Amino acid sequence: MPERHGGAKTASGRPPGRTRSHILRKQIIVNSTPNEVRVALLENGVLAEIHIERSGEAAAAGNIYKGKVLRVLPGMQAAFVDLGLEKAGFLHASDVLIPASSEVDEEEVQYDDTQWSGRYLPIEKKVKPGDELVVQIAKEPLGTKGARITTHVSLPGRYLVYMPTGGQIGISKRIESARERRRLRDAITAAKNSDGGVIARTSCEGLSTDDVSADIQALEKGW
């Protein structure tokens, strides 16, 4: 699969700061049968992503819905949300975003480094029956279980991942050059037009500032 790189290049034709050993080689492998299609993405020979679709099954993971909370179960620290699907979605307390603007009684907040937001509130303090939420399917329905859902929405682009409910900027750990990481962080900061968070994927390495900006703008517009 040919790679695309933008921006300045060295005499060898490679982006600055990237040696031959750091060039990311990608392969896409497709295996198809009458009942199933499997697509694998390899990065330098290592499996990075795999997608499986079976006939008669509509893939739901990644879909975004506006749902309504049906029940809140404090004992399970979870809620069930009507998405208009056959089964209600399962929403755990750790997958419910605490809006930065929300009024929270600090005496009820427990700080936990393992939590996405760094703060933990019991589910009954976050949602109640009848609340409407924008959620994304994180895990497909399985058997009698409904889909696992989250309010931490993420939209993958060609080079970036946009998180409209987040605020942080992250860089793929596979981009090892400190100089390149700083360059990408500065490019993302300059291109952002919203408060959403952005993560630079490995394919961002060596990408021009214009291409970074174009991907962010496309994702923000899509949202």
Side-chain angles (χ1 to χ4, degrees):
M1 181 177 177
E3 293 187 86
R4 176 185 174 189
H5 300 296
K9 296 185 178 180
T10 62
S12 63
R14 293 188 294 274
R18 175 182 287 191
T19 63
R20 183 177 298 275
S21 62
H22 288 116
I23 293 178
L24 186 66
R25 293 178 175 83
K26 293 186 177 182
Q27 291 176 285
I28 292 180
I29 300 176
V30 180
N31 176 256
S32 177
T33 68
N35 298 317
E36 186 174 88
V37 177
R38 294 179 287 258
V39 180
L41 171 64
L42 304 183
E43 295 182 352
N44 290 337
V46 178
L47 180 65
E49 297 180 28
I50 186 167
H51 302 272
I52 301 174
E53 185 170 331
R54 297 178 177 88
S55 60
E57 294 183 2
N63 287 356
I64 299 171
Y65 295 85
K66 183 178 182 180
K68 180 176 287 187
V69 178
L70 297 175
R71 289 181 293 158
V72 177
L73 305 176
M76 293 178 60
Q77 279 302 292
F80 288 96
V81 181
D82 180 14
L83 305 176
L85 303 177
E86 184 178 350
K87 300 182 181 69
F90 178 84
L91 178 66
H92 189 265
S94 62
D95 290 317
V96 183
L97 177 70
I98 303 176
S101 59
S102 63
E103 295 183 2
V104 176
D105 185 351
E106 288 298 322
E107 292 183 358
E108 298 176 342
V109 175
Q110 300 175 14
Y111 286 84
D112 184 352
D113 291 338
T114 65
Q115 294 295 328
W116 184 88
S117 64
R119 303 191 303 174
Y120 173 79
L121 274 179
I123 188 75
E124 61 270 25
K125 297 293 183 180
K126 292 182 176 181
V127 298
K128 62 183 184 297
D131 283 354
E132 292 186 339
L133 303 173
V134 175
V135 299
Q136 186 171 35
I137 292 185
K139 187 179 294 186
E140 298 275 359
L142 181 62
T144 59
K145 296 181 179 180
R148 175 76 180 253
I149 58 178
T150 177
T151 63
H152 306 310
V153 177
S154 62
L155 304 178
R158 184 173 184 182
Y159 305 109
L160 307 164
V161 177
Y162 177 59
M163 299 169 294
T165 56
Q168 71 275 30
I169 295 177
I171 310 295
S172 169
K173 292 181 179 179
R174 296 185 183 182
I175 300 178
E176 299 176 356
S177 168
R179 179 179 179 182
E180 177 66 0
R181 294 173 70 87
R182 286 194 300 270
R183 186 188 73 84
L184 288 172
R185 188 177 295 275
D186 291 343
I188 291 170
T189 301
K192 280 179 54 179
N193 294 313
S194 70
D195 294 330
V198 176
I199 295 177
R201 308 173 79 169
T202 308
S203 55
C204 256
E205 188 171 8
L207 197 67
S208 72
T209 301
D210 288 343
D211 283 340
V212 170
S213 178
D215 210 31
I216 290 177
Q217 291 174 15
L219 290 167
E220 289 180 336
K221 183 178 180 180
W223 172 245

